[in-house]
Amino acid sequence: MARLTAHTRRIVMAAAAAVVMTGGVAAAVFLGSDTSADGPGPALAHSSVTHASDDKPGGKPSHPVGDDSAPDGSDGSRDATGPAAPAGVTGISETIDHATESGGKSVSITIDDGPSPVWTPKILDVLKRYGVKATFCMIGPQAKANPAMVKRVVAAGHRLCDHTVSHDEAMNKKPVPYQSTEVLDAQKMIEQAAGGGAKVQYFRAPGGAFTPDNRHIAAGHGMRPLGWNVDTKDWKQPGTATIVNTVKQELKNGPIVLFHDGGGDRAQTVAALKELLPWLAQQGYTFSFPAV
């Protein structure tokens, strides 16, 4: 089992817990007000997000990525009775993506755990200032609760990524039907919030909890499994300088950089992006979406 730290996002506010029921899976959602450097923000729904231990050298999950043993103890064969792929979805790789579309000296900015009505707009403003397109890995209930933010992300030309319904970092140890529900219900929530026929192009398992089955399910529904190479650990709020230095030191690991816009106060993330985006351009990097 992936070890969970005692850290839980500082988003559990003083309000009653509500439960979002989606396809038979319960996702705990806490209602409260987000606080920012600018003062209290509007009331919003936050998913209860926890993160696994940090023993992920090079941004790789602590459990083996691509391990062919199934989480339910079976022989790893895929569930033939699972949801059928929609018509017209072909050619999506099941391998975990650690590359950019353009290749060369390029990076991909990826942003997890939102959308947040407080922090997503601030991050969108920074991205716009520097002409950078990013990939937003959204939690299903967060997207459902904040459709205006999903639409704004799409309208700005960014891409969408499925980050599951309940951010369960142990989903790789759960039965295949559970994994399928986590992936496909979130995809539906995000696409319905986006409207206009927008599609989710990637799937990122929380904490890197990929399995052959959830990768197969995602790819069969048009979503490339998306990993990362640089883990900023910004969710721990280590300080802006630490986030910036982590990116500079770990870029040698590869081009996919992981930030967060949800799950708590993201002022340090916003400040770090303001420093890093122009610095990356000065170093000769271009910005690209992850490969599909």
Side-chain angles (χ1 to χ4, degrees), residues 122-142:
K122 295 178 186 295
I123 288 176
L124 287 171
D125 288 345
V126 176
L127 294 171
K128 181 178 180 179
R129 181 186 308 175
Y130 295 105
V132 174
K133 303 302 182 185
T135 300
F136 286 78
C137 300
M138 298 182 176
I139 295 172
Q142 287 293 101

Side-chain angles (χ1 to χ4, degrees), residues 266-278:
R266 295 289 158 252
Q268 293 177 9
T269 301
V270 174
L273 284 167
K274 288 178 181 178
E275 291 188 39
L276 283 167
L277 298 183

Side-chain angles (χ1 to χ4, degrees), residues 8-9 11-12 27-30 46-50 139 142 166-167:
T8 302
R9 301 284 202 170
I11 59 171
V12 182
V29 173
F30 298 92
H46 287 289
S47 61
S48 178
V49 179
T50 58
I139 295 172
Q142 287 293 101
S166 58
H167 201 281

Side-chain angles (χ1 to χ4, degrees), residues 3-16:
R3 291 178 290 122
L4 295 180
T5 67
H7 168 80
T8 302
R9 301 284 202 170
R10 296 186 340 197
I11 59 171
V12 182
M13 306 298 173

Side-chain angles (χ1 to χ4, degrees), residues 47-169:
S47 61
S48 178
V49 179
T50 58
H51 283 261
S53 58
D54 297 323
D55 53 344
K56 300 174 185 174
K60 301 298 189 293
S62 54
H63 53 273
V65 171
D67 181 2
D68 288 328
S69 60
D72 58 1
S74 70
D75 61 3
S77 59
R78 298 187 176 105
D79 183 2
T81 64
V89 175
T90 59
I92 302 296
S93 174
E94 297 181 19
T95 62
I96 300 171
D97 181 18
H98 289 95
T100 63
E101 278 187 340
S102 62
K105 192 174 182 180
S106 62
V107 295
S108 289
I109 304 299
T110 66
I111 302 170
D112 286 16
D113 293 359
S116 158
V118 174
W119 299 108
T120 304
K122 295 178 186 295
I123 288 176
L124 287 171
D125 288 345
V126 176
L127 294 171
K128 181 178 180 179
R129 181 186 308 175
Y130 295 105
V132 174
K133 303 302 182 185
T135 300
F136 286 78
C137 300
M138 298 182 176
I139 295 172
Q142 287 293 101
K144 184 176 181 179
N146 298 285
M149 284 297 99
V150 183
K151 289 178 173 65
R152 181 172 168 183
V153 166
V154 172
H158 305 288
R159 288 187 182 176
L160 300 173
C161 172
D162 177 335
H163 204 35
T164 73
V165 171
S166 58
H167 201 281
D168 181 357
E169 294 192 357

